[in-house]
Amino acid sequence: MKPDSQNVTDYTNSNTIFMVWNFKDNLEIREVFNMLCKLLINLNNSANVRFPVSRASCVMGIGHDAWLRLQLPVPLPKELANFVPIAGGKHTAVSTKGDLHFHIRADNTSICYDMASAISDVLSAVAVSTEEIHGFRYWDSRSILGFVDGTENPQGPDRELFSMIGDDDVVYKGGSYLFVQKYIHNLTGWKELSAEQQEKVIGRYKANDIEMADDIKPANSHIALANVGDELKIVRDNMPFGNMSTNQMGTYFIAYASTFGTVQKMLNNMFIGLPVGNYDRILDFSTPKTGSLYFVPTFNMIDDFLSD
Ligand code: HEM
């Protein structure tokens, strides 16, 4: 990882809190944002010193409208825009508002809680939290659908290559595009499928996590459509969540990418289909309730924001 980048390349760990915050209207927000930037640096440094084995970190992403309202530098990162919904014949990738996104990770839940609480203490005067999901590692890194999630993620140096902006946008080199969606699953319908039918939805075998051979893998399986080529990868760190009392079982999809175009291509394949109409069968059991794009600045960029 480049030393000044936020922690976008780390491997998945045991506990995560995802938070979306939106600024209130008609308030002066820059002073609080500057305090928040200092807090973000403080929280990450402190966690490294106090709890090195817990791999704790907090990554902040900034949405397009917030970037403008905060009067952050222009021109903007080239692909930073509000996410445009993708409407397929049957399923839609919705777009929802998000000014700031926090991805808090640690092996220890207490650290996640304290980081979220410290952020809330600073932000709540000028912003409201519209989403908070507590994700957890489910067995051997399985999604709540029961399949291992993350196997084909880039490994080693490829994580940096595919998650951080390179020479295409030198001003923002080392930053990342962050795309998130909160999915709610129809687990009742999912459980009515046999294990063999579920495997055809994903394109991998359930127990041993092995990929189906190309002549067996259905064209509408998740991995047939999400795999857009060896040169076009993203770094995912999805986390499952579940609440029995509200019957909300889901996957928080999160991706860091050197270019948003790669994520867009995957979403087009999944929602519109390849060819059109051959949409991703996982969507018959998974509904996105949110969807937003953010830019993750490096710590050097954050320092520059503070001195502006
Ligand atoms: C309903 C939410 C989702 C669930 C439960 C889910 C789950 C999975 C699982 C179980 C795998 C196979 C293991 C692996 O390689 O990680 C996988 C692969 C993958 N998923 Fe998803 N996924 C979801 C949404 C998405 C979305 C929205 C995208 C892209 C925008 C995406 C991109 C990918 C990619 C790129 C792969 C690897 C494909 C390959 O190269 O084999 N996933 N996902």
Side-chain angles (χ1 to χ4, degrees):
M1 187 176 65
K2 289 191 181 70
D4 90 296
S5 294
Q6 293 195 60
N7 185 16
V8 301
T9 52
D10 207 356
Y11 292 86
T12 188
N13 54 11
S14 305
N15 291 287
T16 302
I17 298 180
F18 302 98
M19 293 198 295
V20 176
W21 286 77
N22 288 326
F23 289 117
K24 296 175 191 168
D25 293 335
N26 306 318
L27 285 180
E28 161 54 42
I29 55 173
R30 186 59 197 256
E31 199 179 321
V32 170
F33 177 73
N34 285 359
M35 283 164 60
L36 181 72
C37 287
K38 288 179 192 159
L39 175 68
L40 184 82
I41 296 165
N42 186 150
L43 289 176
N44 281 292
N45 289 343
S46 174
N48 286 339
V49 172
R50 296 170 66 202
F51 311 109
V53 290
S54 206
R55 296 195 297 124
S57 64
C58 175
V59 175
M60 178 178 73
I62 306 168
H64 171 268
D65 292 354
W67 188 282
L68 295 183
R69 197 169 150 196
L70 289 161
Q71 298 184 301
L72 296 176
V74 282
L76 275 61
K78 282 183 183 166
E79 292 177 289
L80 180 59
N82 287 322
F83 174 59
V84 179
I86 300 173
K90 191 159 178 206
H91 301 288
T92 297
V94 294
S95 170
T96 50
K97 185 171 168 54
D99 281 338
L100 297 177
H101 187 276
F102 297 93
H103 181 197
I104 302 172
R105 289 184 273 192
D107 280 339
N108 180 327
T109 327
S110 306
I111 304 174
C112 294
Y113 173 85
D114 277 0
M115 283 191 179
S117 165
I119 289 167
S120 175
D121 285 348
V122 169
L123 257 187
S124 49
V126 298
V128 280
S129 172
T130 54
E131 197 71 64
E132 178 172 324
I133 294 293
H134 293 226
F136 64 99
R137 182 181 167 91
Y138 184 46
W139 297 114
D140 45 343
S141 237
R142 287 175 190 265
S143 85
I144 218 80
L145 299 178
F147 284 74
V148 175
D149 192 359
T151 307
E152 294 296 331
N153 252 332
Q155 305 284 324
D158 276 356
R159 290 177 84 79
E160 185 175 313
L161 178 72
F162 289 116
S163 65
M164 290 181 197
I165 294 169
D167 292 330
D168 292 347
D169 191 354
V170 282
V171 179
Y172 293 105
K173 193 172 174 173
S176 289
Y177 291 101
L178 160 67
F179 180 72
V180 292
Q181 290 176 304
K182 181 182 82 171
Y183 282 89
I184 298 295
H185 296 301
N186 170 7
L187 272 193
T188 311
W190 181 250
K191 285 176 187 165
E192 282 166 5
L193 301 185
S194 65
E196 289 74 19
Q197 288 170 320
Q198 291 180 353
E199 287 170 341
K200 287 188 175 144
V201 176
I202 302 295
R204 304 184 74 93
Y205 296 104
K206 194 171 182 180
N208 63 11
D209 184 35
I210 288 177
E211 184 177 349
M212 285 179 174
D214 286 344
D215 56 338
I216 299 175
K217 189 191 302 165
N220 68 348
S221 64
H222 178 52
I223 67 164
L225 289 162
N227 183 346
V228 293
D230 288 346
E231 301 306 314
L232 297 177
K233 300 262 180 198
I234 57 178
V235 170
R236 295 168 286 131
D237 194 12
N238 302 352
M239 279 293 205
F241 57 90
N243 186 310
M244 306 305 149
S245 71
T246 56
N247 197 26
Q248 300 263 292
M249 315 302 165
T251 297
Y252 201 89
F253 173 82
I254 177 162
Y256 293 107
S258 57
T259 155
F260 178 63
T262 302
V263 182
Q264 180 88 48
K265 195 164 185 186
M266 293 170 179
L267 292 170
N268 286 344
N269 281 1
M270 289 175 65
F271 284 84
I272 293 169
L274 186 72
V276 173
N278 179 53
Y279 69 85
D280 192 330
R281 179 92 166 106
I282 204 173
L283 298 176
D284 289 335
F285 305 93
S286 320
T287 305
K289 300 291 184 186
T290 68
S292 35
L293 173 66
Y294 304 85
F295 175 74
V296 177
T298 63
F299 286 119
N300 280 344
M301 291 173 201
I302 292 174
D303 277 343
D304 291 345
F305 298 163
L306 287 170
S307 55
D308 275 349

